[in-house]
Amino acid sequence: MRAGLMVLPVAFFALFFAYPVAAIVGRGLRTGEGAWEVGRLGEVLGRPDVLDVLWFTTWQALASTALTLLVALPGAYVFARFDFPGKQVLRAVVTVPFVLPTVVVGTAFLALVGRGGLLDELWGVRLDTTVWAILLAHVFFNYAVVVRTVGGLWAQLDPRQEEAARVLGASRFGAWRRVTLPALAPAVAAAALMVFLFTYTSFGVVQILGGPAYATLEAEIYRQTAQLLDLETAAVLTLVQFAAVGAVLAVHAWTVRRRETALKLVDAGQTARRPRGAGQWALLAAVLVTVALLLVLPLAVLVQRSFAGGLGYYRALQDADAGGGTFLVPPVEAIGNSLQYALAATAIALAVGGLAAAALTRRAGRLVRGFDALLMLPLGVSAVTVGFGFLITLDEPPLDLRSSWILVPLAQALVGVPFVVRTMLPVLRAVDERLREAAAVLGASPWRVWREVDLPLVRRALLVAAGFAFAVSLGEFGATVFIARPDNPTLPVAVARLLGRPGELNYGQAMALSTILMVVCAVALLLLERIRVNRSGEF
């Protein structure tokens, strides 16, 4: 049964990830006569500028991951265990930054910490072109990853297990450290892995806030490919990035496997309650202040700039000529395009990722564990490489998809699948195997075991996974910018095109489209939260 579940995920990744990436790397490392230039690897890796890029990429990703966990874990606890007015709206607000194109995130923080920004105006402090600006922007971008991934499992952990430890004499911290923390370890590791991969491949944030002093591998691959047309150097850097991400995934798979355990899960609605005591109210207040300053304030800056010209910037979105010939169609059409693409990409990601998570539920041999790690590779491989790979491989029958609308959802689903797997897998693995065995003994087929045992416990994780897949599809930019047709741009592509052209009108329209993207995402996530709450009795 496991082999049958893996057929679709393996075929999907082989055809739409491995094949395009291998093709673009192979073209970069071959000479004109078709021979392989293996010596090019050592030559590129021996350059001091490349070594500097490798060092900065690694340590800033580690620092960003640690800082994100430090800031976001209290938020995960608050959303999992506390019930307070406005919780649904706040959960949607927390997730909005994650779907914004990285160029917009960089621009928002530049308005806060750059020349003439809010900090500069109030206290004369500037943080642009510094590492701190990059780190804070990464926390802003990845806060929702920790809150939703860790909080999703935390909300389903039975609090009576920790209470039993306290009855036996353990302190509050000791009970949490010995009971709750080990149970959360797989989810924390999954969240840390996703944050690390996103920050390791960071491009837009570093490009805008880092200036010429800082560059990640992703930024250097883009420069070598799009500006210098040096595919050989770009191919070498892609291989380095691929190897580094593969090593991280291998360590992650080994660590999580050693910590896997069966947990007692309950309805998430049973664990949340009103804060009690001064300490819990203080924790809630601290999380709310953090969300307000770190997440809401940059978003407010974007909204304010979009209305700097009244409604003029929004009216200009209906005119294709308002941006100086930037678009073949009115920019407002990007809204409908993005929604259609995101819905299709979400359906693909849930189908592929759901089957993969089900196949990986039980422990197995090295082949299956290796496939678990491979599922995360799209998050760590340059989106520039994937986009170029699509163009040079999916251009001949029977896979000539260059003019097909499905090409964009396929690229977006590649990024959504890892989130589906990492969100569903900890919950699926936490289900007590004895429940499945009991159902099978009573005569239930494998499908009925899944429907009667696994599905009721994993429904909430499935909705969270759907929200993540939809969100990342809305905000995906790196690969989409190369394959989206000029007459069917997505919101991130439209924003990037407007930001890349001079003029106040273009900049204002970019801020207006960014605001619309924020609103669309917030509404979608709020609807998702309402569905979850309305069905709370089933989860």
Side-chain angles (χ1 to χ4, degrees), residues 18 24 40 72 99 108 175 180 190 230 319 378 404 409-410 428 439 516:
I24 192 69
R40 184 65 169 161
V99 308
T180 304
D230 187 353
D319 185 2
S404 174
L410 286 173
L428 282 172
I516 293 174

Side-chain angles (χ1 to χ4, degrees), residues 5 15 68 181 228 259 304 464 470:
L5 293 173
L15 189 59
T68 302
L181 183 59
L228 303 181
R259 290 177 174 269
Q304 184 274 328
V464 173
F470 185 79

Side-chain angles (χ1 to χ4, degrees), residues 1 439-440 442-456:
M1 180 180 176
L442 294 174
S445 63
W447 163 247
R448 188 172 183 183
V449 171
W450 160 257
R451 180 166 56 88
E452 300 291 343
V453 177
D454 293 79
L455 186 58

Side-chain angles (χ1 to χ4, degrees), residues 12 95-102 141 145 198 334-352 379 383 405-420 464-481 483-484 488-495 517-518 520-521 524-525:
F12 178 79
T95 310
V96 168
F98 187 70
V99 308
L100 294 178
T102 53
F141 188 75
V145 175
F198 271 109
I335 301 172
N337 296 336
S338 287
L339 290 175
Q340 294 175 24
Y341 289 145
L343 289 173
T346 300
I348 296 172
L350 287 178
V352 175
L379 297 182
W405 68 271
I406 197 64
L407 195 62
V408 173
L410 286 173
Q412 294 174 343
L414 278 174
V415 183
V417 167
F419 283 93
V420 174
V464 173
F468 263 133
F470 185 79
V472 298
S473 298
L474 276 178
E476 204 286 322
F477 170 70
T480 305
V481 70
I483 57 180
N488 285 288
T490 63
L491 278 169
V493 171
V495 170
L517 178 57
M518 290 161 42
V520 170
C521 175
L525 294 171

Side-chain angles (χ1 to χ4, degrees), residues 160-171 175:
R160 290 174 295 185
Q161 297 177 96
E162 187 174 322
E163 293 170 0
R166 295 199 63 196
V167 170
L168 294 175
S171 64

